[in-house]
Amino acid sequence: MTEYTMTYQQESEGRPPRRTGVLDRAFAILDCFTSDEPTLTLTQLTRRTGLAASTTSRLLKSLCEHGALIRERSGAYSIGPRLMEIAQFARPMLSIREAASPILDDLNRTTDQHIQLGTLDGAEMVILDRREGKHPIPVYYHIGDRLPLAPTAAGRTLLAYAGPGIIGQIVNTGTFTWPTWQIPRPSSDELMASLALIRQRRVAVLQTPGASVHSVAAPIFGRTNAVIAAVSIVLSAGSTSLERYVPLIKAGATAISRRVTGPKTSRILPPWDQA
């Protein structure tokens, strides 16, 4: 989890929303689990969802019966194998990740830097995949984590190509998430100008004063020529000029786009005796 994620969570803390339907309540429980806290107790889940303890306990029992959760020996709960099985059918996100995987490896080997693949989900970016660089940087998120859009190059790229409703919701209201330690905070007009430049250049170069990391990102286009994801290179602030990475990240994004839109390649599986 990054500092961006923590800031977002702090800003969104408050009274838990009212849960009505059974599915709303079940997903309220599932949404409590994160990569940093994969195991939670009944007390923690009750507090975080705002549900009654009896309701939470009843839903936990049902989720465990369906394999969505498992109960540890300690009595705490964690995500169960059934959700992993269902997630295997999460198209197109898994197909994007599969198509991008060799390109992410190439970018990682070529640059020795941290590589990130993300897609838009509502007003946030979901991390689809990542590669660790040789140089340590203060980035602690995991695959599946969510990040706000404005403070990162990949997120801002996705925002630049988002629908007017999303842009209006995030930018025009002036309430977009921004790390409190990064000064100055851009205005809505500055952010809109940044989005226009990203669409013009098809690349985002983000060097925010006060930030511990800088990043450069490019859009990935799908079959309908809509942006379906973004790939970025993230490195320590001040380590080198980001412009040198612009051709690399644009070439990487183009290669992923071609793999996504091209004919699907069949997997070559090893013989059973070698598997």
Side-chain angles (χ1 to χ4, degrees):
M1 179 181 294
T2 62
E3 293 170 329
Y4 294 139
T5 308
M6 290 186 286
T7 300
Y8 174 78
Q9 290 177 337
Q10 290 166 359
E11 290 184 0
S12 61
E13 282 179 356
R15 185 176 180 180
R18 186 166 178 243
R19 313 292 183 179
T20 53
V22 174
L23 279 177
D24 287 338
R25 296 172 180 176
F27 274 96
I29 290 173
L30 295 176
D31 283 341
C32 291
F33 295 91
T34 68
S35 55
D36 287 327
E37 293 183 288
T39 303
L40 296 169
T41 65
L42 171 62
T43 301
Q44 290 173 313
L45 290 167
T46 300
R47 184 174 66 249
R48 296 182 186 192
T49 59
L51 300 172
S54 58
T55 301
T56 306
S57 180
R58 183 173 64 253
L59 287 169
L60 287 171
K61 181 180 179 181
S62 180
L63 288 167
C64 287
E65 290 174 349
H66 288 281
L69 294 178
I70 56 175
R71 189 175 184 184
E72 310 284 353
R73 290 185 178 181
S74 64
Y77 297 86
S78 59
I79 297 295
R82 183 58 181 152
L83 290 185
M84 182 181 296
E85 294 172 11
I86 295 173
Q88 300 304 311
F89 305 103
R91 303 287 180 175
M93 287 194 292
L94 286 180
S95 61
I96 298 172
R97 184 183 178 193
E98 184 177 344
S101 183
I103 311 302
L104 301 185
D105 291 337
D106 289 343
L107 286 170
N108 183 245
R109 283 192 297 265
T110 302
T111 65
D112 290 334
Q113 302 292 352
H114 184 90
I115 310 300
Q116 177 189 87
L117 177 70
T119 191
L120 185 69
D121 186 22
E124 298 173 303
M125 176 176 68
V126 176
I127 303 300
L128 294 180
D129 210 347
R130 54 176 292 195
R131 298 290 185 275
E132 290 283 355
K134 288 187 177 180
H135 312 288
I137 57 175
V139 172
Y140 308 109
Y141 55 76
H142 303 276
I143 295 172
D145 281 349
R146 294 171 174 270
L147 299 177
L149 298 175
T152 67
R156 197 172 293 194
T157 298
L158 294 170
L159 181 59
Y161 289 92
I166 295 294
I167 294 178
Q169 173 188 342
I170 295 175
V171 181
N172 294 339
T173 58
T175 58
F176 54 87
T177 302
W178 191 259
T180 55
W181 61 89
Q182 290 184 14
I183 304 296
R185 173 190 172 95
S187 65
S188 295
D189 289 341
E190 290 170 332
L191 187 52
M192 286 294 287
S194 171
L195 301 182
L197 184 60
I198 292 170
R199 290 189 291 269
Q200 177 185 339
R201 296 187 62 195
R202 290 199 172 188
V203 68
V205 179
L206 201 60
Q207 294 177 285
T208 306
S212 55
V213 296
H214 291 163
S215 52
V216 55
I220 297 168
F221 293 86
R223 294 183 183 277
T224 62
N225 208 34
V227 171
I228 57 175
V231 59
S232 68
I233 300 172
V234 185
L235 59 153
S236 296
S239 58
T240 186
S241 171
L242 283 184
E243 288 296 331
R244 63 174 290 195
Y245 294 109
V246 167
L248 286 172
I249 200 65
K250 292 182 77 171
T254 299
I256 297 172
S257 298
R258 287 173 179 166
R259 288 178 59 85
V260 169
T261 58
K264 186 176 181 180
T265 57
S266 59
R267 292 185 179 182
I268 301 176
L269 299 177
W272 282 106
D273 57 353
Q274 297 180 19

